Amino acid sequence: MKHSTNPQTRRGHRGGPARRIGRTLALVLPVVLVLSGTLAVTRVNWTGSPSGSVLTASDVSSAEVSSKAVPQAPQDVLREQLMSELQHRNPGVVLTHLQEAVNGRPSLARHCASIAHALGKAAERIYGASRAQSYARPVCDTSFASGVLAAHS
């Protein structure tokens, strides 16, 4: 009796899309968990004083926003531009523009991960999880991929 040297499953093939997705998740998920835990710890107000707390959108009324007419921060302008662009172009092009913006203006680098994460969530809503994930690339670590994953779960 001769045994085959090809590694095969019980059904006689190497594995399909489910196996590839499983392998991808096995590689990406630990990175996403570490990064999200790191980001969560940095957002905690460790001083105990409420003056350093994070202001959310629900804390500000629309009347306050419209009456002050404060110019937007560069990272907010970039986020809005890229989110708008995502409605008309594929996420790969948008991620390229994000990388170019960060390269051209290094002060935006600290906001890159949050912008890429938001783009990933939006891309998942528009394209679905598997198609959006196909556009992932190493712009701002794995923030785009973690955004897709967060929106999918």
Side-chain angles (χ1 to χ4, degrees):
M1 175 188 241
K2 187 174 182 180
H3 294 284
S4 172
T5 59
N6 293 337
Q8 295 179 343
T9 62
R10 280 192 271 188
R11 293 188 177 179
H13 54 82
R14 292 177 163 232
R19 183 176 210 125
R20 284 191 299 271
I21 291 171
R23 286 180 183 166
T24 302
L25 283 176
L27 293 172
V28 173
L29 193 57
V31 174
V32 170
L33 291 174
V34 168
L35 288 175
S36 63
T38 303
L39 293 174
V41 169
T42 61
R43 301 288 290 179
V44 173
N45 179 8
W46 295 102
T47 63
S49 65
S51 63
S53 64
V54 177
L55 183 66
T56 62
S58 63
D59 295 334
V60 179
S61 70
S62 60
E64 290 177 33
V65 171
S66 62
S67 68
K68 292 184 181 180
V70 177
Q72 287 185 312
Q75 67 271 13
D76 296 334
V77 172
L78 177 62
R79 178 181 284 117
E80 286 181 16
Q81 285 175 344
L82 294 175
M83 291 297 255
S84 175
E85 186 177 5
L86 187 61
Q87 301 300 318
H88 306 289
R89 295 182 181 220
N90 74 53
V93 172
V94 177
L95 287 171
T96 299
H97 291 159
L98 172 60
Q99 187 66 55
E100 291 170 351
V102 171
N103 290 345
R105 196 167 182 181
S107 63
L108 292 171
R110 66 177 173 219
H111 305 287
C112 186
S114 66
I115 294 171
H117 187 82
L119 289 171
K121 282 184 166 183
E124 194 280 335
R125 285 191 299 272
I126 295 169
Y127 293 96
S130 59
R131 185 164 175 216
Q133 190 67 37
S134 71
Y135 291 105
R137 58 176 70 164
V139 176
C140 311
D141 295 323
T142 58
S143 299
F144 179 85
S146 68
V148 171
L149 185 63
H152 184 65
S153 52

